[in-house]
Amino acid sequence: MTGVIGWWEAALLGLIQGLTEFLPVSSSAHLRIIGPFLPSGTDPGAAFTAITQIGTELAVLIYFRKDILRIALAWFAALPGTGASAEKKNNPDVRLGWLVIIGSLPIAILGLAFQHAIETYLRNLYLTAVMLIVFGLILGAADRHGRHALSLSSMRWRDGIIFGFAQAMALIPGVSRSGGTITAGLLMGYTREAAARYSFLLAIPAVLASGFYQLYKSWGVAGPVAPGPTLLATAIAFFVGYGVIMVFLRIVSSRGYWPFVAYRIVLGVFVLALLGMGVIQPH
């Protein structure tokens, strides 16, 4: 570490977090890549990334507040012991609520099991660049060859588990949480918008749990980013992220994911070139 990230650097990182969190381009990869180019030359770290994601997830909570409230009320009303009718228990929103819970388990379990690797070895920029390219190509193939026919109301238990493991792949910077879940959805035949909307919903428990866990763990511990700049970055990520959600859903409904596929490949090749020339270091 060559320095401590200051206020304007944190503001820039918050802007990048807000711009990239919901796009299938990997926000964690962008924060990792930009670190060496900051005046401090510092990798903001996995903890900073997780905490600033609290801001973007608050944007999700507000934007999808009606959907989230409807699903939550239906789920609680159908719990065992509530005397719920068969009709209430078979409500698609109840199943969707359970699927979000089940789909959140893989990333929670694997995140705790491989926490040290996530914070160290998996942040290697060679790996990040390769993941950008490889999963960009997979996303492109899924977007091109997927059936684009299924809605969220037709989601099965098997699909929820697959979505969950796809989201867990994002523990590796460069994969992209939204990119992984959206790719899985497209491969299973879901529409572009359905895959994107479920990606947003599925991220809420995992991202908020990770963010608050990292906030608790790093409380009072010196790190590359002080609490004040971290709070600023989180706030910026919230406001920018809210706007990105609206634009993103319009883009995927009309144009698909190919612009993001091309961007991932170009960025990955660019990072590999910088590493090969010694402009940046992998660790």
Side-chain angles (χ1 to χ4, degrees), residues 28 51 81 103 141 164 184 206:
S28 59
I51 293 170

Side-chain angles (χ1 to χ4, degrees), residues 30-95:
H30 281 73
L31 294 183
R32 175 66 184 91
I33 292 167
I34 199 68
F37 295 99
L38 297 174
S40 61
T42 302
D43 175 7
F48 174 84
T49 301
I51 293 170
T52 55
Q53 285 176 335
I54 294 174
T56 46
E57 286 312 304
L58 289 177
V60 172
L61 290 175
I62 293 175
Y63 187 86
F64 290 102
R65 61 190 180 278
K66 293 181 180 178
D67 292 340
I68 294 169
L69 181 61
R70 187 189 70 249
I71 294 168
L73 290 176
W75 185 82
F76 279 112
L79 285 175
T82 59
S85 64
E87 182 181 358
K88 283 188 176 181
K89 291 181 179 179
N90 292 327
N91 186 330
D93 284 333
V94 175
R95 187 171 68 254

Side-chain angles (χ1 to χ4, degrees), residues 126-149:
Y126 276 113
L127 179 61
T128 298
V130 171
M131 291 299 100
L132 282 168
I133 296 169
V134 170
F135 278 87
L137 293 171
I138 297 173
L139 172 61
D143 193 32
R144 180 173 182 137
H145 299 293
R147 289 188 293 124
H148 309 300

